[in-house]
Amino acid sequence: DDLDPEMTLWDALTSDPDLKGGRSDQVMVRGTPKHVVAYLKDFLFPESQARAPLKSLSGGERARLLLARIMAKPSNLLVLDEPTNDLDIETLDLLQETLDDYDGTAILVSHDRDFLDRVATVTVALEGDGTATPYAGGWTDMMAQRGGRPLGPRAPDEPPPQP
C-alpha cells in the first residue's frame, strides 16, 4: 500500500532505501548485488514486466513482489503471519523455496498444515493452558509425537506432553 501504483517493478526494488539500490540496474539481495531483471525472474516475473506499473499486477503478482522485497533485505529473522493466504500454487512453491534458502530464522504462524510439513523444522504447540511445547518437524511430526492427542487444554489428570 505504501508504493505508488504508477511505479514500476524495477523502481519498487531499486528505489527502496533499505535495499540500497539507488535507482540503478542492481538490487542488493542480503548484501550481494544482483541485476534487477535476474532478481525479478527469480520471483517468476518475465523481463517484459520489469518496466510495467504496479497497478497492472494481479494480487498474486503483488504478493510475489512483496516477497521479493522482503527477501532482499538483510535480516536474520523473519516473522510471517499466515504467509500462504491468497497465494497461487506457483507462489506457494516459490515461498517454500525461498524459506528453504533463507539463512536466518523464520517464525511462521499458519493454519496451512501441508505448508508447515514442508518448511517447519520445529513446531511449537500452544497448549491452551499458558504453555508452549516445541516438537521437531512440521504439523504431522508434531501430531505423531503427541500420539495423535488434539491441541487444546489437557484434562486435569493428564500429564504434560513430552516432546
Side-chain angles (χ1 to χ4, degrees), residues 19-153:
L19 300 180
K20 298 176 177 52
R23 295 195 180 273
S24 69
D25 64 347
Q26 294 187 336
V27 60
M28 293 299 285
V29 179
R30 292 187 304 278
T32 303
K34 188 158 190 175
H35 193 273
V36 175
V37 172
Y39 190 62
L40 284 169
K41 284 182 179 180
D42 289 348
F43 287 86
L44 311 177
F45 291 102
E47 184 173 351
S48 60
Q49 266 188 306
R51 297 289 186 181
L54 298 182
K55 67 182 178 185
S56 69
L57 298 179
S58 69
E61 290 169 331
R62 288 177 192 260
R64 286 200 317 267
L65 180 62
L66 177 60
L67 182 60
R69 287 171 50 96
I70 289 170
M71 296 310 293
K73 294 180 182 184
S75 69
N76 61 5
L77 176 67
L78 285 176
V79 180
L80 301 173
D81 183 13
E82 297 293 348
T84 63
N85 283 3
D86 304 319
L87 297 183
D88 58 36
I89 297 298
E90 285 181 315
T91 307
L92 280 170
D93 290 342
L94 175 65
L95 177 60
Q96 178 184 340
E97 290 170 20
T98 303
L99 290 173
D100 286 345
D101 293 339
Y102 183 65
D103 292 332
T105 299
I107 298 173
L108 304 170
V109 177
S110 181
H111 289 88
D112 186 335
R113 295 173 183 181
D114 179 62
F115 181 73
L116 292 173
D117 279 344
R118 290 185 287 141
V119 300
T121 57
V122 174
T123 300
V124 179
L126 304 178
E127 301 293 347
D129 60 359
T131 61
T133 307
Y135 296 91
W139 175 266
T140 302
D141 298 320
M142 176 194 70
M143 293 307 291
Q145 292 169 61
R146 293 172 66 85
R149 189 176 66 76
L151 296 176

